[in-house]
């Protein structure tokens, strides 16, 4: 059964959204998409500037392994610096099959 992770957050004050979206694409291309079990990732932004990231993984173990290295990986540091950590909320779900 595949795993769905969600992360909601806002940016640090003064962060340019166009610059951030470039950083976001780099995180996906240079880090997330290269991890075992990565299936897909989508990013949305609300009118008030909150981002919602949804990542699909093959297994919960794949998600765990990726997140264990996410905060220390060189590829994620600029992205993380732009995120207001006080606004981060995450969740994990098992995808239902029909």
């Amino acid at each position: 059964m595949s795993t769905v992770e969600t992360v909601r957050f806002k940016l640090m004050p003064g962060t340019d959204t166009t610059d951030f979206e470039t950083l976001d694409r780099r995180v996906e291309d240079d880090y997330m998409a290269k991890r075992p079990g990565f299936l897909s990732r989508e990013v949305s932004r609300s009118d008030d500037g909150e981002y919602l990231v949804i990542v699909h993984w093959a297994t919960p173990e794949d998600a765990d392994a990726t997140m264990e290295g996410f905060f220390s990986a060189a590829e994620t540091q600029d992205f993380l610096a732009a995120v207001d950590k006080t606004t981060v909320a995450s969740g994990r779900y098992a995808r239902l099959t029909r």
Side-chain angles (χ1 to χ4, degrees), residues 45-56:
R45 186 179 69 213
S46 69
D47 289 340
D48 71 349
E50 180 178 72
Y51 284 81
L52 170 64
V53 179
I54 301 170
V55 185
H56 294 262

Side-chain angles (χ1 to χ4, degrees), residues 11-58:
L11 301 180
M12 294 296 291
T15 302
D16 181 83
T17 57
T18 302
D19 292 343
F20 175 75
E21 290 166 15
T22 298
L23 295 173
D24 180 71
R25 280 190 299 279
R26 283 189 199 146
V27 160
E28 181 171 340
D29 295 343
D30 298 344
Y31 184 78
M32 303 294 286
K34 294 180 178 180
R35 304 278 78 81
F38 174 84
L39 300 175
S40 66
R41 181 176 182 266
E42 61 186 271
V43 180
S44 302
R45 186 179 69 213
S46 69
D47 289 340
D48 71 349
E50 180 178 72
Y51 284 81
L52 170 64
V53 179
I54 301 170
V55 185
H56 294 262
W57 297 101

Side-chain angles (χ1 to χ4, degrees), residues 56-70:
H56 294 262
W57 297 101
T59 68
E61 294 79 16
D62 293 327
D64 288 340
T66 297
M67 291 316 297
E68 284 177 21
F70 188 83

Side-chain angles (χ1 to χ4, degrees), residues 60-82:
E61 294 79 16
D62 293 327
D64 288 340
T66 297
M67 291 316 297
E68 284 177 21
F70 188 83
F71 294 97
S72 61
E75 301 91 338
T76 65
Q77 297 310 298
D78 291 337
F79 173 92
L80 289 169

